[in-house]
Structure formats: C-alpha cells, structure tokens
Amino acid sequence: MVHWQHLVIKYRWVFVLIFLVPASIVSRLYSTIRSWLVFQLLRNPSLHSRRVSHVQRQVREWNSKGRGKQLMCTARPGWQAMSIKVGRYKSTHWNIDVDLHHVLEVDESKRLVRVEPMVTMGQLTATLNPLGWTVPVVPELDDLTVGETPFCSSLGLPDLLARDVRLRGCGTCHVHTIPIYGDICTL
C-alpha cells in the first residue's frame, strides 16, 4: 500500500472531523430553517389548489408537446431521493415540478392530519410533536416523504392525475389523510 493511502485510511477521522461533521451540521441547519419557513409562510391550505393546478398545467404542456416523444418524471433532484440509484433519466425525461410539500391541516377532534405527498416525516413529526400527537408508524428516516411511505398503500391512494389531466380518486385532491394518536407517553 502506498504511504499516503495508509495515512488517509489511518487518519480518516481527521477528514470526518474537519469536513464532514461541519458540512452535516450546516446541511441540517439549512434544512430545518427552510422547513420551518415553508411551514410558517406557505401553509395556507387555500394555496393547495393553486399548487395542484401548477402540476396540471405542466402535464398539459407535456401532452401538447407530444407525450410519446419523451417520458415524464418529477423534477425532484436526485440528491433528495431515497435511493442509491443515480437518476440519469432525469436529464432525458420531461420534468414536472411537484411542489406539494406542505402540512395542510391538523384536525385534533377527528384525529387526522392532511398533508401533501412531498411532506417529509421530519416535517410531520415536528408539526405533530408539540401538539402531543404522532402517526401510527414513524419511519426512522426524517427525509422520507409521506408519498414514499406505507401510508399510501395502507390508507388509500390520494387522487390521481388522469391522462386527461383531471383529478380522479378518493375525494381530496392530492392529499394524504393520516390518522394520528395522542397520549401514547405521558410524563
């Protein structure tokens, strides 16, 4: 083994301490502040229909430009995906901006929370914990979105955007309704 390789392996903790730990702290701080600002400033449920209309407009544009020529995918960057697979298809597919990452409503009397599909488990937990509530299953990954969790299959699918770009499905447009539980642990 070359001498410098031995040093890199033996003293990798220096690299971690000097570069990776500060980068992790800055990244987490940015993510937390951004989530808080989005929640405080854009939580208005009346904006939900506008965001869904934005997605519909993009799909209509894709339809009008000849849908058979290019496949469609979300514009979510690869680094935000919960996969180790590199999403090379993002550069060749028609990207749709799905800006649906808001907690819309917490209904404590009905024990339900309404969220859009791109809400992360971290956002959901941070919203519900101060109220003394939690969801039935809390995945360990804070960056996992509600749309990627078992909630989609076990609690029913949200409305689907049909080929003719009309909303079809179970009632409320592109919203997951998740049961919440309280008083699980009292101090």
Side-chain angles (χ1 to χ4, degrees):
M1 184 181 293
V2 181
H3 181 67
W4 67 269
Q5 288 176 329
H6 174 71
L7 287 175
V8 168
I9 291 170
K10 185 172 181 176
Y11 297 105
R12 65 181 163 238
W13 63 270
V14 174
F15 175 76
V16 168
L17 193 61
I18 293 174
F19 297 106
L20 293 183
V21 170
S24 287
I25 291 169
V26 168
S27 173
R28 180 49 113 193
L29 186 63
Y30 167 77
S31 176
T32 303
I33 290 170
R34 182 188 175 281
S35 292
W36 183 83
L37 285 171
V38 164
F39 181 73
Q40 296 300 322
L41 301 175
L42 300 173
R43 186 174 117 181
N44 187 349
S46 66
L47 296 176
H48 173 69
S49 357
R50 191 178 308 163
R51 290 188 291 266
V52 170
S53 295
H54 174 65
V55 173
Q56 288 175 312
R57 275 193 304 279
Q58 293 175 81
V59 173
R60 282 188 187 106
E61 182 182 352
W62 174 68
N63 272 335
S64 69
K65 302 245 177 170
R67 65 187 288 150
K69 297 176 188 169
Q70 195 175 21
L71 296 174
M72 177 177 52
C73 67
T74 67
R76 184 179 183 189
W79 62 269
Q80 286 183 340
M82 288 285 117
S83 171
I84 57 173
K85 180 183 173 192
V86 178
R88 291 191 178 99
Y89 62 91
K90 297 274 187 185
S91 61
T92 59
H93 287 45
W94 185 275
N95 288 263
I96 303 292
D97 177 30
V98 182
D99 183 27
L100 297 171
H101 53 266
H102 301 88
V103 176
L104 299 173
E105 172 189 14
V106 178
D107 187 340
E108 294 188 59
S109 64
K110 292 182 182 176
R111 294 183 163 207
L112 295 173
V113 60
R114 290 180 60 236
V115 299
E116 294 173 333
M118 300 299 283
V119 167
T120 65
M121 293 310 298
Q123 266 180 287
L124 187 57
T125 304
T127 302
L128 295 176
N129 276 351
L131 302 172
W133 296 94
T134 188
V135 292
V137 177
V138 181
E140 292 292 324
L141 300 169
D142 278 351
D143 295 326
L144 189 67
T145 64
V146 171
E148 297 169 324
T149 63
F151 296 133
C152 290
S153 56
S154 66
L155 298 173
L157 294 173
D159 286 346
L160 301 173
L161 205 56
R163 283 185 171 199
D164 55 7
V165 199
R166 287 182 291 147
L167 292 172
R168 296 185 181 168
C170 354
T172 313
C173 351
H174 292 80
V175 174
H176 296 276
T177 304
I178 303 167
I180 52 179
Y181 300 94
D183 302 325
I184 288 180
C185 177
T186 31
L187 300 174

